[in-house]
Amino acid sequence: MLKKSLLLIIVTTLTSCTAFLIYRIIERLNDKKESLGNLETRSHLTLFDFDSAQFFLPSNRKSVIVYFNSECNHCQYELDQIFANTEKFIDADVVLTSSELIRAIKQFAKANYPGALENIRFLKINPDEAYKTFGSLAVPQIFIYGTDGLLIRKFNGETKIDAILQYL
């Protein structure tokens, strides 16, 4: 009797764990599918400037969106390359977005990239929104959108500036 009860508990536990794991895998796949759909257009992006006001990208220009973290060396390299080549981005809006606190983004921007540029902006995206939009939160990630607002190209990780510019 004790052996049957113990066996029943073990089988029930294993079945429950397996069912839970399958559920989580399916949930993750659905989240990934949704985020891939969200990437196809930039219209869903909810971004905020340093005053916590919502920022909207102009609809008639190409956009380069760089998702970064201020403590990431690869991100800093990427941003250095963008700022060293600002004249090559004149026909596009460059949005440097992070899910860090606005205070941290602002401090990072002022310390490393002083001087306002009209077409290059530091903005904040909420962490939940970043996950829904970009999927995994690896940094840096670069998204290039056309004048129609549709995704042209996505880059994961540190990317050479020439690779980005060929899509502008």
Side-chain angles (χ1 to χ4, degrees), residues 62-64 92 144-146 152-155 159 161-168:
K62 286 188 176 182
S63 301
V64 178
I144 302 173
Y145 291 91
I152 296 173
R153 181 80 161 115
K154 173 186 173 186
F155 295 100
T159 306
I161 202 75
D162 292 334
I164 297 168
L165 292 172
Q166 76 179 11
Y167 292 97
L168 292 183

Side-chain angles (χ1 to χ4, degrees), residues 110-125:
K110 283 187 176 184
N112 295 291
Y113 308 102
L117 296 170
E118 189 164 319
N119 68 318
I120 300 178
R121 295 175 180 86
F122 283 90
L123 299 171
K124 178 183 176 29
I125 187 168

Side-chain angles (χ1 to χ4, degrees), residues 14-28:
L14 287 174
T15 304
S16 298
C17 288
T18 304
F20 177 74
L21 289 174
I22 290 171
Y23 169 76
R24 291 293 295 166
I25 290 169
I26 291 170
E27 189 177 66
R28 282 280 175 117

Side-chain angles (χ1 to χ4, degrees), residues 22-155:
I22 290 171
Y23 169 76
R24 291 293 295 166
I25 290 169
I26 291 170
E27 189 177 66
R28 282 280 175 117
L29 289 173
N30 287 337
D31 285 348
K32 188 171 186 172
K33 186 185 287 186
E34 181 182 340
S35 71
L36 288 175
N38 288 342
L39 283 176
E40 294 303 316
T41 178
R42 68 177 179 208
S43 64
H44 66 280
L45 284 172
T46 305
L47 303 168
F48 300 95
D49 64 17
F50 290 155
D51 297 324
S52 297
Q54 191 169 355
F55 178 84
F56 298 96
L57 287 164
S59 60
N60 59 346
R61 291 176 47 93
K62 286 188 176 182
S63 301
V64 178
I65 299 172
V66 180
Y67 181 67
F68 77 98
N69 184 291
S70 64
E71 296 178 3
C72 166
N73 291 333
H74 297 287
C75 299
Q76 290 175 6
Y77 170 81
E78 201 70 59
L79 298 182
D80 288 344
Q81 292 302 304
I82 289 170
F83 276 90
N85 292 281
T86 55
E87 72 284 351
K88 295 178 182 175
F89 289 94
I90 204 74
D91 293 328
D93 287 303
V94 180
V95 174
L96 311 169
T97 187
S98 176
S99 56
E100 297 175 273
L101 297 173
I102 289 177
R103 179 179 65 247
I105 300 168
K106 187 175 185 178
Q107 185 178 24
F108 172 77
K110 283 187 176 184
N112 295 291
Y113 308 102
L117 296 170
E118 189 164 319
N119 68 318
I120 300 178
R121 295 175 180 86
F122 283 90
L123 299 171
K124 178 183 176 29
I125 187 168
N126 290 324
D128 291 340
E129 182 76 20
Y131 180 74
K132 282 197 290 190
T133 303
F134 304 128
S136 70
L137 298 177
V139 288
Q141 288 188 42
I142 301 166
F143 308 91
I144 302 173
Y145 291 91
T147 55
D148 57 1
L150 297 177
L151 183 67
I152 296 173
R153 181 80 161 115
K154 173 186 173 186
F155 295 100

